Amino acid sequence: MKPIPILFLASLLAVSVSCTTERKPSTVGTTSEVERRVDQLLSRMTLAEKIGQMNQVSAGGEVANYADALRKGQVGSILNEVDPVKVNEFQRISVEESRLGIPLLVARDVIHGFHTIFPIPLGLASTFDPELVEAGARVASVEATGQGVRWTFSPMLDIARDPRWGRMAEGSGEDTYLDTRMAEAMVRGYQGDLSDATSIAACIKHFAGYGAAEGGRDYNSTFLTERQLRNVYLPPFEAAVKAGAMTLMTSFNDNDGVPSTGNAFLVKDVLRGEWGFDGLVVTDWNSMGEMISHGFGEDRKDVARKAMEAGVDMDMMTYGYLSHLEELVRSGAVRESDIDQAVRNILRVKILLGLFENPYVDVEAGQAVQYAPDHLAAAQKTAEESAILLKNDGVLPLDPAAVRNILVTGPLADAPHDQLGTWAFDGEAGHTVTPLRALQERFPGKVTYVPGLAYSRERRDRFDDVVAAARRSDVILVFLGEEAILSGEAHSLADLNLKGSQSELLAALKATGKPVVATVMAGRPLTIERDLPNCAAMLYAFHPGTMGGPALANLLLGDAVPSGKTPVTFLRTVGQAPLYYSHNMTGRPYNGETLLDDIPLEAGQTSLGNTSYYLDYGAYPLFPFGYGLSYTTFAYSDIALDRETYATDGTVTVSFTLSNTGTRAGTEVVQVYVRDLVGSITRPVKELKHFERVTLAPGENRALKVSIPVQELAFVGLDGVKKVEPGEFQLWVAGDSASGTGVAFNVK
Ligand code: BGC
């Protein structure tokens, strides 16, 4: 946790909480009315009051500590206060005791649920179900607003292609299109009708390129070219802006030498200039101050000026604006008109949220919605759709009637806090249902629990207790992975194997000859290649959230059928990172050449094929992007395009038949990939352009059609202009990024 500085002297005034809980109807008005209100308010503000709006502080301790600053109008936003009584008191002081009565924006990192915790965002992405993710974001906003939060720092849209980076957990993974769809869904879910008291403003972050940290080490520099930014990293942000995202956060990293909080190209030229964003831009936590450590500014005054020049409206926790902007304006280094623009962006969000009409939260009603049954049900359904079946030799689903004695083991079997994952500030272990608890409820008297390892990092030489229990059981359910603390911000790892003696535990279980079903909970794709042979089946659940236990029990028992797909490539070994499906084609693509193990030890220097691969691990991952099994099987046939040639303003329509070739109902995530064969620059070997979930009864064949506007194939080429380059293309319809046979078409 971060230290919470108390910057303001405690006020001696004791203040009593008395605020109305009645909600007045929203009267935020039309766009021009909103702008008029913004301008009217701005015209009444002193320079100091304007600068106060641009200052965000973290709450901590007593409200009285902040009262003086609030009264003076020195705070525009508060983060990290979720006690609704305190929130109301903060608002009351701002609204009733400051000169202009401007309410606060109360912010919190509500990242994958507020109290009811959903799977981590990487797990949300593995559902490939934007509608469900949108519904989850709505649940989060209903609960968060119930405690006074009206602004969340979510969704995180950083493309992440290196699982060493701990924050891969917080985003949608490696793919631009999947990330884009999730971004839009989350923005819609959080914001709904913004002035509704159950809506929160979304904050798209971290702008930009933060996920490309060199070596997967958090906060590290990135070196993305403008073309790479525009083709891979920025499209989710642009789509989220189009979907109405009200706020955006600049990132910690410097890209090609320029820290984002001082990057006018990103904020002014692209975000505001090209995309027309009129929302609020906030720094990341002290990222203005960190420009001093970057060596990008001399002192706080210098970096405050640079952030202003870049077009950043609000300062999170540097106090650079509060301390230096007045002086910078007086000296002529910063124009007051630029400050006016920043304040406009902040006031606009406050007006649109209806905060002037409804600054207070109804404490009692707000409590009533926390952990509501429909919220828990949504979290459970999401966890069910999120889990990915990586291996199944037929042991799953378990037959409940045949189960007499289940051994539950492993460090994640009963880890209520850890299954919530990273950034679950408000999730509570007491409300979390673990797999152990769910299975015990389901099979009273039939579950034996021997943890084996209390923590994922624990080392043990012998597992006699577990093995003895395993011998008495007829099935072994082992829950492995990494605790929440091993992923997330500042939690990067250089070794992605199962930690501690988990692999040894699994091997000991396998040696009993009993069927072993492994479930992995983690914040990233771990390198589990050596563990796969030691289990009959493996479910990968990421961190599944509050209702992870019942969701996994349903999946193991066949009451739910796995449908999740990998939102990132699963590596065989960490040394392959970064490895992602939509890489460019090299001049020497791998062609199945010899691996080191196949070369006699005595062989001298020889040509091994001269293509792009690792001698020891080849070129392929353990599991490709988009991969996941079901309890049934699917087949694709009759794949045909409606034409051979399309105009650049045309639409490619592909028809195909999807068949459920197994004996159970199941849901397939149909994926459509495209490759542009020749471009003005080298192009990815495949790019996802469409996905949808299709549920089929056993034996059912369904004729389906997918349409993709040719404009979706546009990219920024050599001339820097985004457009479709005519020529030859290939298209695949398949159940993952490594399957299917391409069909050809032309664009003229
Ligand atoms: C993180 C942000 C987060 C902010 C506020 C920072 O350390 O990078 O993602 O929103 O803190 O808590």
Side-chain angles (χ1 to χ4, degrees), residues 2 79-80 108-109 111 153-154 156 167 170 205-206 210 219 249 252 284-285 316 423 425 489:
K2 299 171 184 117
L79 76 152
N80 291 337
R108 179 68 155 176
D109 289 276
I111 306 296
F153 301 124
S154 172
M156 183 185 103
R167 302 198 81 169
E170 295 176 50
K205 67 184 189 186
H206 306 87
Y210 180 43
Y219 312 123
M249 185 187 291
F252 286 128
D284 201 342
W285 183 286
M316 184 197 288
W423 288 110
F425 274 160
E489 183 175 351

Side-chain angles (χ1 to χ4, degrees), residues 357-677:
E357 290 76 20
N358 294 315
Y360 302 116
V361 54
D362 180 335
V363 178
E364 232 169 81
Q367 285 315 298
V369 300
Q370 308 301 323
Y371 298 111
D374 58 323
H375 297 181
L376 295 172
Q380 179 172 330
K381 183 170 164 36
T382 310
E384 285 171 6
E385 284 196 13
S386 156
I388 307 158
L389 184 64
L390 293 178
K391 173 182 178 179
N392 187 13
D393 72 0
V395 66
L396 290 181
L398 302 174
D399 175 1
V403 171
R404 290 178 310 280
N405 192 350
I406 308 173
L407 172 64
V408 172
T409 182
L412 273 300
D414 193 31
H417 179 73
D418 289 306
Q419 80 179 46
L420 300 181
T422 187
W423 288 110
F425 274 160
D426 301 291
E428 297 159 295
H431 284 265
T432 303
V433 191
T434 65
L436 175 66
R437 222 183 94 198
L439 289 158
Q440 282 169 332
E441 273 169 24
R442 190 80 175 247
F443 297 107
K446 292 186 180 171
V447 174
T448 305
Y449 173 52
V450 185
L453 296 165
Y455 299 97
S456 70
R457 282 171 291 158
E458 191 186 337
R459 295 207 166 274
R460 266 180 82 173
D461 295 333
R462 302 185 64 85
F463 293 99
D464 298 343
D465 52 345
V466 199
V467 168
R471 291 196 204 288
R472 290 192 299 272
S473 70
D474 36 44
V475 62
I476 299 163
L477 304 181
V478 56
F479 295 86
L480 305 166
E482 54 181 17
E483 284 86 7
I485 195 178
L486 291 175
S487 61
E489 183 175 351
H491 292 79
S492 294
L493 291 174
D495 177 357
L496 302 182
N497 286 339
L498 285 173
K499 298 238 166 295
S501 301
Q502 294 186 87
S503 292
E504 291 76 6
L505 168 63
L506 192 61
L509 296 169
K510 157 90 173 174
T512 64
K514 299 291 171 97
V516 181
V517 177
T519 300
V520 180
M521 296 186 196
R524 54 162 70 73
L526 294 170
T527 45
I528 37 139
E529 183 170 51
R530 66 179 175 164
D531 306 299
L532 280 169
N534 289 334
C535 58
M538 184 182 279
L539 263 176
Y540 209 92
F542 294 111
H543 287 126
T546 304
M547 297 302 282
L552 288 167
N554 277 351
L555 288 163
L556 293 168
L557 292 159
D559 291 341
V561 176
S563 59
K565 299 273 188 170
T566 52
V568 279
T569 301
F570 275 53
L571 307 183
R572 297 178 56 203
T573 183
V574 69
Q576 291 180 302
L579 185 65
Y580 48 93
Y581 85 93
S582 67
H583 59 86
N584 286 358
M585 191 57 111
T586 69
R588 293 186 173 190
Y590 181 60
N591 201 16
E593 280 87 357
T594 325
L595 297 182
L596 212 52
D597 281 349
D598 303 324
I599 304 167
L601 291 177
E602 67 277 12
Q605 179 65 37
T606 165
S607 165
L608 296 170
N610 297 331
T611 64
S612 179
Y613 71 111
Y614 295 105
L615 284 180
D616 48 359
Y617 277 86
Y620 303 127
L622 183 61
F623 296 109
F625 173 86
Y627 179 83
L629 303 170
S630 169
Y631 294 152
T632 186
T633 44
F634 297 98
Y636 292 81
S637 57
D638 311 325
I639 299 174
L641 293 166
D642 60 336
R643 315 167 60 117
E644 275 171 24
T645 303
Y646 299 90
T648 50
D649 60 354
T651 297
V652 178
T653 298
V654 59
S655 56
F656 56 96
T657 303
L658 180 69
S659 307
N660 180 341
T661 49
T663 53
R664 282 178 166 266
T667 302
E668 166 74 324
V669 177
V670 171
Q671 299 157 50
V672 181
Y673 295 89
V674 174
R675 175 169 175 200
D676 186 346
L677 293 187

Side-chain angles (χ1 to χ4, degrees), residues 76-221:
S77 170
I78 276 206
L79 76 152
N80 291 337
E81 183 52 73
V82 291
D83 173 346
V85 174
K86 282 190 180 173
V87 168
N88 278 344
E89 184 52 10
F90 278 131
Q91 291 290 32
R92 194 197 61 74
I93 297 170
S94 306
V95 170
E96 292 182 12
E97 297 184 10
S98 74
R99 195 179 73 89
L100 294 171
I102 302 175
L104 290 168
L105 262 175
V106 177
R108 179 68 155 176
D109 289 276
V110 180
I111 306 296
H112 50 115
F114 180 67
H115 273 134
T116 303
I117 300 295
F118 286 67
I120 56 169
L122 195 58
L124 295 178
S126 64
T127 65
F128 282 72
D129 191 342
E131 288 75 29
L132 192 66
V133 169
E134 178 176 338
R138 185 99 294 263
V139 166
S141 71
V142 167
E143 290 192 358
T145 54
Q147 294 205 187
V149 177
R150 294 301 303 277
W151 184 15
T152 177
F153 301 124
S154 172
M156 183 185 103
L157 307 183
D158 300 314
I159 300 287
R161 295 177 161 182
D162 189 332
R164 291 175 294 181
W165 191 50
R167 302 198 81 169
M168 181 183 261
E170 295 176 50
S172 295
E174 73 182 45
D175 185 59
T176 304
Y177 180 74
L178 177 59
D179 193 17
T180 299
R181 298 284 310 277
M182 291 299 162
E184 294 162 340
M186 288 171 88
V187 168
R188 280 195 304 265
Y190 287 137
Q191 296 193 168
D193 164 10
L194 209 57
S195 70
D196 187 287
T198 62
S199 287
I200 42 182
C203 182
I204 50 178
K205 67 184 189 186
H206 306 87
F207 197 63
Y210 180 43
E214 262 197 336
R217 214 159 59 246
D218 204 7
Y219 312 123
N220 208 1
S221 300

Side-chain angles (χ1 to χ4, degrees), residues 203-208 210 237 248-253 259-263 266-267 271 280-285 287-288 307 310-314 316:
C203 182
I204 50 178
K205 67 184 189 186
H206 306 87
F207 197 63
Y210 180 43
F237 285 92
L248 171 142
M249 185 187 291
T250 57
S251 57
F252 286 128
N253 61 298
S260 300
T261 303
N263 194 328
L266 282 177
V267 179
L271 175 71
L280 183 176
V281 175
V282 64
T283 71
D284 201 342
W285 183 286
S287 68
M288 185 189 295
V312 172
D313 305 320
M314 189 182 273
M316 184 197 288

